[in-house]
Amino acid sequence: MKKSAGKLLVIGLIRSFIVVLILLGVGAGSYWAVMHFWDIPIAEAPEEKDPIKEPEKEPITKAVLDDISKNLIFRVQEETGEINGMLLEIFHCEEKRMQFITIPIRTQYTMSEALYRKLVLVHPTIPQVIRLSNITKYFDKDAVYDYGVLIMEDLLGIDISYYTAIPESIYTTIFKTQKIAEESGVTSSRNSLQEKEISISYEVFSDKYIKFLKSFQTEEDVHDYLAEIYPSVQSNLTLNGKMNYLESYCKTPLNRVSFALMNGINKNNAYYIEGALAKQQVESYIAGNAAE
C-alpha cells in the first residue's frame, strides 16, 4: 500500500512537470505568433560595444632631435610653479661645443599678430605685450612650458628643439649668476636711480658643478647621471631621446662650453630683446663665428 502511494506521488509530480512544460511552450508559441502576426519587431539583446576612446590631443610642441639642438631651459620654483629664469642651450653635436644664452626673465616684448591671435583663444585676457615672468599667470601648469616655447620661437625667430623645466633646488646646483659689464652687447637706460640699480647678469656653471663634471670618467657615468636626474625634471624630450646626445656630450670638453647674455636693451625696469639681433646672435654661434 505504501509503495502504491509513493508511486502515485511520483507519477503526479511527473505529470505536473509535463503540464508546466506544455504551458511554457504554448506561451512562448503564442508570443511568437502574436509578434509575427502584428509584425512587431522582437527585441534583441543589445550588443556590447567597445568603449569610445577619445582622440588623443595633439601636443602643443613636439621634441625634435637636431644635430644642432636648441634646448629652452626653465628655472622653476617648486612651491609656486613660477618661472624664475630662462636659458637657451645650443649644442653643436658635430663640433662638440655648447653655449648657454641667458634670457632675462624680466624681458618684455610684443607678440606677433599671428601668435597673439592663437594665444588669446587659450586665455582671452592675455596681453599682446607680455613680460616673460608673467606667462604662468595665463597658462595651465601642464602646458605653460609648451607655450613658453612658442613665445620664445616668436621672439627669437628660431625653431626650438625641445624644452627642459628644472626645479630651482636642482638648478641652483648647476648654475650660478655672474654679473657682467654693460659693454658686452647690452645697452642701458640711465633715466633714474632705480634703473641704475638693476644688475645685468647671466648664468654660468657653478664651481661645484664643474668639479662634479670633471669627476666623470666614462660614458656610463654620464648615462647614469642623466638617468638619475631626468625623473626630477620635466621635458617634452624623453629620456631615450636625450640619450641620443650621450656620445656627443661625453666628447665635449668643458673648455668648449661657453655662456652669454641675449643681446638687448636694459630700460625702465625691463629688458628688451630685438628679435632680429637675437636671431643673428644665435645663428652666429651656430655658424661658429661667436667668440668662444
Side-chain angles (χ1 to χ4, degrees):
M1 191 73 180
K2 289 183 180 179
K3 289 184 180 179
S4 298
K7 187 175 181 180
L8 290 173
L9 180 60
V10 172
I11 293 172
L13 289 173
I14 293 173
R15 287 176 178 173
S16 299
F17 181 68
I18 292 172
V19 171
V20 170
L21 288 178
I22 292 172
L23 290 175
L24 288 175
V26 170
S30 300
Y31 171 80
W32 182 87
V34 170
M35 299 296 282
H36 182 72
F37 180 79
W38 291 104
D39 197 23
I40 300 174
I42 299 174
E44 296 180 358
E47 295 181 4
E48 292 186 5
K49 295 182 179 180
D50 294 332
I52 298 174
K53 294 182 180 179
E54 294 185 5
E56 292 185 4
K57 293 182 180 180
E58 280 290 319
I60 300 167
T61 61
K62 292 183 179 180
V64 178
L65 294 173
D66 289 322
D67 292 334
I68 303 175
S69 70
K70 279 80 69 179
N71 174 22
L72 184 61
I73 298 173
F74 297 92
R75 174 180 179 172
V76 183
Q77 219 289 327
E78 292 100 320
E79 287 76 18
T80 64
E82 291 182 0
I83 297 172
N84 294 334
M86 296 174 73
L87 286 172
L88 180 64
E89 172 205 282
I90 304 173
F91 183 43
H92 206 301
C93 297
E94 183 178 349
E95 297 185 9
K96 308 300 184 292
R97 56 185 172 84
M98 180 182 291
Q99 185 174 61
F100 292 90
I101 303 177
T102 298
I103 303 164
I105 199 63
R106 54 191 174 84
T107 294
Q108 184 168 301
Y109 94 109
T110 303
M111 295 183 209
S112 66
E113 284 294 332
L115 180 63
Y116 179 65
R117 285 196 298 269
K118 182 176 182 178
L119 297 189
V120 80
L121 296 176
V122 180
H123 200 296
T125 65
I126 191 170
Q128 188 167 6
V129 179
I130 192 170
R131 184 172 288 213
L132 297 184
S133 58
N134 290 335
I135 63 175
T136 51
K137 296 179 180 179
Y138 303 103
F139 304 112
D140 183 80
K141 63 180 181 179
D142 295 326
V144 66
Y145 308 125
D146 293 282
Y147 287 115
V149 167
L150 295 184
I151 288 171
M152 292 311 304
E153 287 182 332
D154 185 61
L155 193 162
L156 301 177
I158 62 171
D159 292 327
I160 291 173
S161 308
Y162 62 99
Y163 70 78
T164 307
I166 305 177
E168 181 140 357
S169 58
I170 296 177
Y171 183 96
T172 52
T173 66
I174 300 173
F175 298 101
K176 69 177 182 179
T177 300
Q178 182 166 302
K179 292 183 180 181
I180 61 172
E182 295 182 2
E183 296 85 50
S184 57
V186 180
T187 59
S188 176
S189 170
R190 292 298 189 180
N191 297 328
S192 70
L193 178 62
Q194 183 183 22
E195 289 167 6
K196 290 180 183 180
E197 293 174 347
I198 298 173
S199 62
I200 302 174
S201 59
Y202 67 114
E203 303 291 272
V204 299
F205 282 160
S206 68
D207 297 337
K208 289 184 177 180
Y209 190 67
I210 291 174
K211 185 177 180 180
F212 175 65
L213 292 178
K214 287 181 178 179
S215 70
F216 292 157
Q217 300 295 321
T218 65
E219 185 173 303
E220 186 178 357
D221 291 337
V222 181
H223 176 281
D224 292 345
Y225 169 66
L226 289 174
E228 180 182 352
I229 198 173
Y230 224 69
S232 300
V233 306
Q234 185 174 335
S235 178
N236 58 345
L237 181 66
T238 65
L239 177 58
N240 287 337
K242 188 74 169 177
M243 290 301 181
N244 280 277
Y245 295 110
L246 180 60
E247 183 179 352
S248 296
Y249 285 151
C250 294
K251 293 181 179 179
T252 302
L254 279 172
N255 61 8
R256 299 280 285 175
V257 179
S258 58
F259 306 87
L261 173 68
M262 189 69 72
N263 289 341
I265 298 173
N266 198 39
K267 181 181 179 181
N268 297 333
N269 199 29
Y271 197 79
Y272 297 88
I273 294 173
E274 169 56 48
L277 292 177
K279 184 177 181 180
Q280 183 180 12
Q281 180 183 4
V282 172
E283 291 180 344
S284 176
Y285 179 77
I286 290 174
N289 297 324
E292 298 181 17

